Amino acid sequence: MSNLAEENVSSEEASKVLNREWKHVQSDGQTEYIDDNLVRTKTKEVLTDSNKTYRYILVNAALSKAVNPNIHYRALQAGSSLGGAYDARSVAHGALVPWEKGHGERLGGSPEPFVNNPARHPEVDTSNRARSSQKQERLYNLLQRMQEQVEKRELDPTDILRQTLQAVSELESKTVEFESPSAAPYDVIALNIREYLRDSGNGERLPAVVAGIMQTYYEHAGEGDWRVDCEHANVSDEFSKAAGDVEIFCDGELHKAMEIKDKPATQSSVQHSIEKGRRNKLGEYLYVLGSGFKPGEEGDARQEAEDAPIELIFITPDELISTLKLVDDVERVFFLEAVGEFLNDMRANQSNKNAFTEMVESIK
């Protein structure tokens, strides 16, 4: 039987508390906020374990309890029979996920952590089906101990949140973070970007660089509200509804789309790009030749483009990089920051992020 007295946790208030307490933990130099060694130890164990969903459940519970002390640490859904049931997923989606994206994605960078099986139960319980009963039991025991200690006034929910965030702060940041160079000469930028693109990074590097160039170009030259979206170049069209690997929007309307080919182009891939352009009612479509054409395919591919009912424009990475000549140092710094953001947004492999950070830092 579900608990009818559902508790409410405001995502807006949760965001305020999360930002406030993170700032507190980052600035005060403390490492221990509670005396309970078991809670401190098990919190670290959960947060460093390979099961990402349990990390989110723990941090989300600590946050929610600090916002509303009436909730139960183990509750996951409003339909839970526990006193203090609430909708944990709405807090995670409205507060924790956006916050994590801007703070290193240390929990794993999941956009929807509560859709995974461990979080799809009314509450954390040892009777729930789990791949690892040992990991589930550890989380259960930790949350239950936290609940009991708070009820006995041995622990304070805000202190528990601070201890949890302290443990989060010790996790490695998964996002691109660098101090922007004070100057970004074109020759230096072009040389370093070409070197960065020598490794395709499993189709992640070139789309981020192209998207960064497009964002810089339209921010510099275009009037209106411009937005650039970017996808991993190797994402199957079966799972993507995007018009291209890179899309450019003006005032919310699709303006241009680009196919980013880090592998040799073929006639069939050109045909596919033409079809995507037609399907999205685009008069022209840009095709970025990251690795030229597959041997024996160039003539047919170019003929396919020439005969197309829309204008398909082939362009090379070098031609795109050369557009950075048209902007100044400030905007080339903007370009570097934009590429970093696109790598983060597409949740690129950590090696590609680290390589980009090292490349930027070498420019200083």
Side-chain angles (χ1 to χ4, degrees), residues 158-193:
T158 298
D159 290 337
I160 289 177
L161 175 60
R162 289 175 177 174
Q163 190 65 57
T164 304
L165 292 178
Q166 169 59 32
V168 170
S169 73
E170 295 175 4
L171 302 176
E172 181 185 2
S173 173
K174 299 294 194 299
T175 56
V176 173
E177 295 180 359
F178 57 82
E179 184 178 342
S180 299
S182 56
Y186 169 76
D187 289 344
V188 175
I189 294 293
L191 179 66
N192 279 273
I193 288 296

Side-chain angles (χ1 to χ4, degrees), residues 230-284:
C230 176
E231 279 196 342
H232 187 299
N234 292 332
V235 171
S236 170
D237 288 332
E238 180 183 351
F239 302 105
S240 173
K241 295 180 181 178
D245 299 314
V246 170
E247 297 174 302
I248 300 108
F249 296 86
C250 181
D251 297 328
E253 296 292 326
L254 181 64
H255 171 71
K256 199 180 292 292
M258 309 173 75
E259 177 79 7
I260 313 299
K261 207 70 178 174
D262 72 324
K263 297 175 182 176
T266 63
Q267 181 184 10
S268 63
S269 67
V270 169
Q271 287 175 332
H272 189 60
S273 294
I274 293 168
E275 179 55 35
K276 282 202 290 186
R278 290 185 62 187
R279 191 166 60 242
N280 289 277
K281 298 180 173 59
L282 294 169
E284 65 178 34

Side-chain angles (χ1 to χ4, degrees), residues 57-286:
I57 290 174
L58 172 58
V59 178
N60 199 65
L63 171 61
S64 298
K65 186 79 168 179
V67 176
N68 181 352
N70 294 324
I71 71 108
H72 198 293
Y73 278 113
R74 289 197 293 110
L76 295 172
Q77 298 176 4
S80 170
S81 60
L82 293 170
Y86 74 109
D87 182 5
R89 179 180 175 181
S90 66
V91 181
H93 187 265
L96 182 56
V97 168
W99 175 86
E100 191 208 10
K101 184 176 180 181
H103 292 81
E105 296 187 348
R106 290 172 165 86
L107 303 180
S110 174
E112 281 280 7
F114 274 62
V115 301
N116 297 321
N117 283 333
R120 297 177 68 178
H121 298 280
E123 65 264 344
V124 175
D125 194 87
T126 54
S127 65
N128 297 341
R129 291 184 62 185
R131 290 183 180 179
S132 171
S133 58
Q134 184 178 11
K135 293 181 180 182
Q136 179 174 259
E137 186 173 354
R138 177 177 58 195
L139 179 64
Y140 171 89
N141 289 336
L142 172 58
L143 295 175
Q144 186 61 31
R145 181 176 180 85
M146 288 159 59
Q147 181 69 25
E148 291 169 357
Q149 294 294 84
V150 168
E151 289 176 353
K152 292 190 293 185
R153 300 184 184 278
E154 295 291 330
L155 292 177
D156 177 78
T158 298
D159 290 337
I160 289 177
L161 175 60
R162 289 175 177 174
Q163 190 65 57
T164 304
L165 292 178
Q166 169 59 32
V168 170
S169 73
E170 295 175 4
L171 302 176
E172 181 185 2
S173 173
K174 299 294 194 299
T175 56
V176 173
E177 295 180 359
F178 57 82
E179 184 178 342
S180 299
S182 56
Y186 169 76
D187 289 344
V188 175
I189 294 293
L191 179 66
N192 279 273
I193 288 296
R194 289 188 184 106
E195 186 63 31
Y196 179 69
L197 292 177
R198 285 184 184 276
D199 184 337
S200 74
N202 196 30
E204 293 177 342
R205 297 189 182 192
L206 184 56
V209 168
V210 171
I213 291 171
M214 291 295 98
Q215 188 73 63
T216 304
Y217 174 81
Y218 283 103
E219 287 281 342
H220 172 74
E223 295 181 1
D225 181 19
W226 294 91
R227 186 185 90 242
V228 177
D229 288 349
C230 176
E231 279 196 342
H232 187 299
N234 292 332
V235 171
S236 170
D237 288 332
E238 180 183 351
F239 302 105
S240 173
K241 295 180 181 178
D245 299 314
V246 170
E247 297 174 302
I248 300 108
F249 296 86
C250 181
D251 297 328
E253 296 292 326
L254 181 64
H255 171 71
K256 199 180 292 292
M258 309 173 75
E259 177 79 7
I260 313 299
K261 207 70 178 174
D262 72 324
K263 297 175 182 176
T266 63
Q267 181 184 10
S268 63
S269 67
V270 169
Q271 287 175 332
H272 189 60
S273 294
I274 293 168
E275 179 55 35
K276 282 202 290 186
R278 290 185 62 187
R279 191 166 60 242
N280 289 277
K281 298 180 173 59
L282 294 169
E284 65 178 34
Y285 201 91
L286 289 176

